Amino acid sequence: MLEAHHLACQRGDRLLFHRLALAVKPGELLRIAGANGMGKTSLLRLLAGLSSPAAGSVSWHGDYIQHQRESFHAAMLYLGHAPALNDLLTPAENLRFACAVAATPASPATCSEALTRIGLQRQLPLPCKVLSQGQRRRVGLARLFLETQRPLWILDEPFTALDAAAVSDLAATLDAHCASGGAVIFTSHQDVALRTPERLLDVEAFAK
Ligand SMILES: Nc1ncnc2c1ncn2[C@@H]1O[C@H](COP(=O)(O)OP(=O)(O)OP(=O)(O)O)[C@@H](O)[C@H]1O
């Protein structure tokens, strides 16, 4: 499904990691571990094709992602660690905008339904500027309910700022995605109980 070979990542004058290799198959859950600043986000961005490696390559179903940008981006969902929200818009308006930009249009009713499912029913009429950090994260994560057809999810710190119930709901959502043949690559500083066996890749093992 997704493979990376001999990846190296340079940030400023620092080589964060090199000779990094990974492969993710349908149904798999890969957690990227490492201390703050070791390059987890940088690795996710390389895998999502949002930045270019100093060396090495990323392939999707056997071909380089840069040779098939459109089909790769249609098959992949990347959620960064801070959802880009317009503070003046409601959660549903933000969600609808994010889906439209990603070429997965969703109706207002569908967006409201996803937000209700993620526990934001009472915040539906509010502008996002009054939402708490955990609620803001939930707005971003609500896209997972609308993007199940994308087989590969790349998620940066999806569990951060969520309460125990939301962590458990999100874990169930990731498990369901893997059970239906999807794959998830994610970072997390906290241990989360998932039904899908978790594979671990420590970026520090590839530090220069
Ligand atoms: N554009 C940039 N220019 C210079 N340095 C950068 C740039 N982007 C990231 N860095 C540095 O690269 C290193 C890795 O950053 P990255 O965000 O990938 O770490 P991380 O492992 O995800 O950290 P955290 O656990 O804190 O989220 C950090 O030291 C960061 O300051």
Side-chain angles (χ1 to χ4, degrees):
M1 199 175 192
L2 190 82
E3 289 184 15
H5 297 285
H6 289 93
L7 270 192
C9 180
Q10 177 102 26
R11 286 286 176 264
D13 58 1
R14 189 172 149 214
L15 190 60
L16 294 178
F17 52 79
H18 70 152
R19 296 180 190 157
L20 187 150
L22 62 82
V24 180
K25 297 193 182 84
E28 286 189 341
L29 188 76
L30 175 66
R31 174 174 166 190
I32 310 294
N36 288 139
M38 291 307 292
K40 300 179 297 299
T41 295
S42 302
L43 173 58
L44 292 191
R45 291 181 58 82
L46 291 182
L47 297 177
L50 298 173
S51 60
S52 300
S57 60
V58 180
S59 305
W60 173 248
H61 290 300
D63 193 9
Y64 296 133
I65 57 173
Q66 65 268 27
H67 291 175
Q68 42 170 344
R69 284 188 186 282
E70 217 168 293
S71 53
F72 176 61
H73 284 118
M76 185 270 304
L77 173 69
Y78 174 83
L79 293 184
H81 54 71
L85 301 180
N86 181 325
D87 279 347
L88 300 177
L89 300 181
T90 65
E93 288 165 343
N94 268 292
L95 186 53
R96 200 159 171 236
F97 179 75
C99 289
V101 168
T104 319
S107 69
T110 306
C111 291
S112 297
E113 198 179 304
L115 291 159
T116 299
R117 199 168 150 196
I118 208 158
L120 290 176
Q121 61 279 10
R122 290 174 60 194
Q123 286 71 36
L124 286 178
L126 302 176
C128 281
K129 68 180 173 192
V130 303
L131 266 50
S132 71
Q133 283 308 310
Q135 290 166 341
R136 293 174 74 87
R137 289 205 61 90
R138 288 182 194 218
V139 176
L141 292 168
R143 274 190 71 199
L144 297 178
F145 297 131
L146 306 175
E147 302 281 11
T148 48
Q149 78 287 0
R150 295 184 197 252
L152 178 63
W153 289 356
I154 299 180
L155 312 175
D156 198 354
E157 298 285 351
F159 293 101
T160 300
L162 297 182
D163 62 30
V167 165
S168 153
D169 287 349
L170 177 58
T173 303
L174 302 193
D175 281 328
H177 188 62
C178 291
S180 65
V184 180
I185 303 173
F186 74 109
T187 60
S188 179
H189 286 292
Q190 61 196 105
D191 288 325
V192 175
L194 290 144
R195 264 187 291 124
T196 315
E198 181 185 282
R199 286 175 48 221
L200 196 67
L201 183 144
D202 188 345
V203 278
E204 296 187 42
F206 302 92
K208 177 79 173 135

